[in-house]
Amino acid sequence: MLTNQESARVSTASPTPAIVSLVCAVATEVDGMDQDLLRLVPTSRALLVLDTLLAALTSKSTFKRRGSYFMLVLSFYLAYSIISPFSKPRHTLSPRSLLDREDAAAASYSPRPPTPEQQLAHSHLTALSESRQSVYPPGIFHERELASDTSHVVGVTAVVLHWKRRQGLQLVLEHISKYPYIREIIIWNNMPGVNLVASDFVLSSRFQYSIGPPKLRIINSPSNVHDAGKHIACSLASYKHCYFNDDDWLNIYMDSLYTNYLDCCAGGGGPERGGSGGRIASNTMPLIHLEHRRWRFANSDVDLHTGFTWLGTGSFAPRHLSTRFMNQQSAAPELLTREQTLVSDMFFSLWANSYPEQMPNDLVPIDIEGEEVGWSRGEGVDQWRVVYTNILDATRKLYDILVSEDPHLCPDPFPVAAPPPESHNRAPCANDGCLFTTSLTPFPPPSALTFAFEDPPKPFWSPGQWFKTGKAASKSIVPSGLTLTDMEGKLDPWRLTSMGEYEDIWGEVEGGFPTDDWWVEKGSWHLAVDGKGSDTCWESWRPPDEQDHFGLTLVAPRVIQEIKITGSLDLEQVVAWENTGAGPEAWELYTVRADGSGAWESRRLRSLPGVTLLGPSRIEVSLALEPLLDFYGKDAVIRKIKFVSRGKKRTKLSICSFGLDGWRI
């Protein structure tokens, strides 16, 4: 093992907006927990008003110019009422809240010795971490390789949020530094009064003699800004992509998540990959994934198509999403309160206005400290109330912004482009060497929901909308160019009374919505590849239709000569596409080469499938594949495997495990 490099100082020369540079410059210079970092974030509302006024004054339209002159005179008359709100700090300090009291307690925090159970858990987590290593060769992450137009990988800055959990932080740092794509680590220390330095920590020495360990930077925040620290730190990242991991979760599926991110979410290719576009790719527990599926929102009339995900359990995202989020907070019509900024994870994914890619699996929590140190689980914190309140508020704010888009915002900090189709990479394999893929999902899209609100929305140009008077429901509006009839049955978050009401609507959608028990015990995709054999099996929500498929995406491509699958009885009918005698119950096998030389290729079998009956409805199928040769006459290396349904099946599909040439996953 080796000690880290000297902690890098925050530089305002980083390629980030002025707002981020200002905040982080203060973070390095202000001492003491009484300094509120969030008060220093400015607002751009005054600039937007001025820009709109100047555009009208120089308009070619006589009516617009005269109207702008009138508004200019009126603005002087109302100067105090208009300008004074803009001159206030970005965030005002609220009365001493529960969060403030916990921050004060953190300054005097003295860790207790861990219990015997926690010591045992620490040993187990250390051994688990040591058993994992990346299959990505470190050489492809040299700076010159990453800068190449032909590079198919990206370098990543890891952002680790820290508060009290010093042992958990060390465990996370040592774990993620073993993965060669993590080329930089930024610790955002949210413990005021405690200055961390690089010599406090140890990183993995695995790449000491090849590409070297990741660069370590530490930002000691003068106040506990909670989740906001993630996005300030990511905005300062040296690389175009960020990985988020809190200090209370050990992500043992790093390679799978990174592979999925490259596949679905990293943005464009080449050296500009991630410069625009891109989405969040994250991990979560099966039950939380089910909950998050209910926290997706859509209204095509206003280009609303967004969803929620937590970041701290392990997530990749393009850096520009965090820098844009910093800009969004200053450009939004209604500013976030300080309490909302502290829980900005609840706004970040929703304001990306895209559906995050989330993979359910058996997450590994870190509980090795001497006492409870998580604020969200502390005494007096109603976590669900905080979550529900802020998710609904974030969606309402986004809806308002999309309805009243300002044409003078360029580039627009709130994206409206439709998200790409949902990825079919569904869950990581237990050994972190592959991903289970399928087109079969039990979840309807949020666009399938219909709404029957009692009160009609107000027209967009109503005085009540402009002066923000009346109850919250009165803010419900009809976008310009549309009628009340157009909005019938569409989502309007202002007409929802609570998130509980919205979740109930999912239960009424056509085709149904999975129950908690069914999803956890049968429906979660990771059950097909959780390494437990036939003890646990994934089951499809419905019988497969024609062209439905399942299979694997391999992290490290390999030659494949034999495939074993344990699952439902229909799996014995695997045929080549040329076999026209097989009926709709058959499955066709396809693969993709790793060299990128072609698309899906049909595969033939050397013999009939070998079938072993394991029970009344379960079999193990062995498939011996005919060789597929590359340009040099050698066995082709395979990256993806897919079984495609030839027709509509009569029963549901079940998958319990896979094996590739003796490699059990």
Side-chain angles (χ1 to χ4, degrees), residues 440 442 518 522-523 538-544 651-655:
L440 292 160
W518 180 87
K522 297 181 179 181
W538 165 75
E539 179 184 275
S540 63
W541 177 248
R542 56 170 174 79
T651 59
K652 297 179 180 180
L653 173 66
S654 179
I655 302 292

Side-chain angles (χ1 to χ4, degrees), residues 458-466 477-481:
K458 293 190 174 184
F460 176 69
W461 295 104
S462 69
Q465 166 63 17
W466 284 106
I477 55 179
V478 177
S480 57

Side-chain angles (χ1 to χ4, degrees), residues 128-141:
L128 180 60
S129 174
E130 291 175 349
S131 69
R132 299 283 180 162
Q133 61 180 3
S134 178
V135 299
Y136 281 93
I140 63 177
F141 296 99

Side-chain angles (χ1 to χ4, degrees), residues 487-499:
M487 294 295 290
E488 189 68 29
K490 300 290 183 67
L491 170 67
D492 181 346
W494 283 107
R495 301 169 75 188
L496 293 171
T497 58
S498 66
M499 279 298 298

Side-chain angles (χ1 to χ4, degrees), residues 570-634:
D570 59 320
L571 294 174
E572 68 174 329
Q573 300 190 51
V574 177
V575 299
W577 70 272
E578 299 96 332
N579 185 341
T580 58
E585 292 296 314
W587 293 90
E588 298 173 2
L589 174 60
Y590 297 83
T591 59
V592 169
R593 305 182 188 220
D595 59 11
S597 60
W600 291 102
E601 298 176 89
S602 176
R603 300 299 300 271
R604 295 185 176 92
L605 304 181
R606 294 203 305 264
S607 59
L608 293 175
V611 180
T612 302
L613 185 64
L614 302 180
S617 60
R618 191 155 299 158
I619 59 174
E620 182 182 71
V621 182
S622 298
L623 307 172
L625 278 61
E626 284 191 3
L628 184 67
L629 303 180
D630 61 15
F631 179 78
Y632 301 100
K634 299 180 179 180

Side-chain angles (χ1 to χ4, degrees), residues 179-319:
Y179 293 85
Y181 36 85
I182 302 296
R183 302 310 307 135
E184 178 182 53
I185 299 175
I186 299 178
I187 300 174
W188 184 276
N189 176 26
N190 263 332
M191 190 133 178
V194 176
N195 289 325
L196 302 179
V197 295
S199 57
D200 292 334
F201 305 102
V202 176
L203 300 185
S204 170
S205 60
R206 185 180 179 202
F207 308 120
Q208 181 177 3
Y209 301 110
S210 53
I211 59 175
K215 173 184 174 184
L216 180 63
R217 302 165 63 186
I218 299 176
I219 302 176
N220 293 300
S221 177
S223 62
N224 187 352
V225 296
H226 294 258
D227 291 340
K230 296 177 184 177
H231 304 294
I232 301 174
C234 179
S235 297
L236 289 164
S238 301
Y239 294 86
K240 293 181 179 180
H241 304 266
C242 293
Y243 171 74
F244 300 97
N245 201 139
D246 290 351
D247 55 11
D248 55 347
W249 294 98
L250 186 69
N251 180 12
I252 60 174
Y253 305 107
M254 289 286 292
D255 272 2
S256 301
L257 185 61
Y258 179 72
T259 300
N260 187 44
Y261 179 67
L262 294 178
D263 244 20
C264 72
C265 307
E272 297 303 317
R273 180 192 286 266
S276 61
R279 291 180 290 163
I280 305 168
S282 63
N283 273 325
T284 194
M285 294 180 285
L287 190 59
I288 298 301
H289 179 78
L290 181 70
E291 192 72 26
H292 289 180
R293 284 284 179 162
R294 297 189 187 101
W295 298 350
R296 294 190 171 196
F297 306 88
N299 186 331
S300 58
D301 289 338
V302 297
D303 297 313
L304 176 67
H305 31 63
T306 192
F308 177 82
T309 188
W310 294 113
L311 298 181
T313 53
S315 302
F316 288 94
R319 180 185 64 192

Side-chain angles (χ1 to χ4, degrees), residues 128 132 249-253 283-287 359-365 427-428 430 520 524 526-527 529-532 536:
L128 180 60
R132 299 283 180 162
W249 294 98
L250 186 69
N251 180 12
I252 60 174
Y253 305 107
N283 273 325
T284 194
M285 294 180 285
L287 190 59
M359 296 196 300
N361 56 74
D362 294 324
L363 292 182
V364 180
V520 171
S524 180
H526 82 288
L527 297 172
V529 288
D530 62 358
K532 299 178 182 178
T536 59

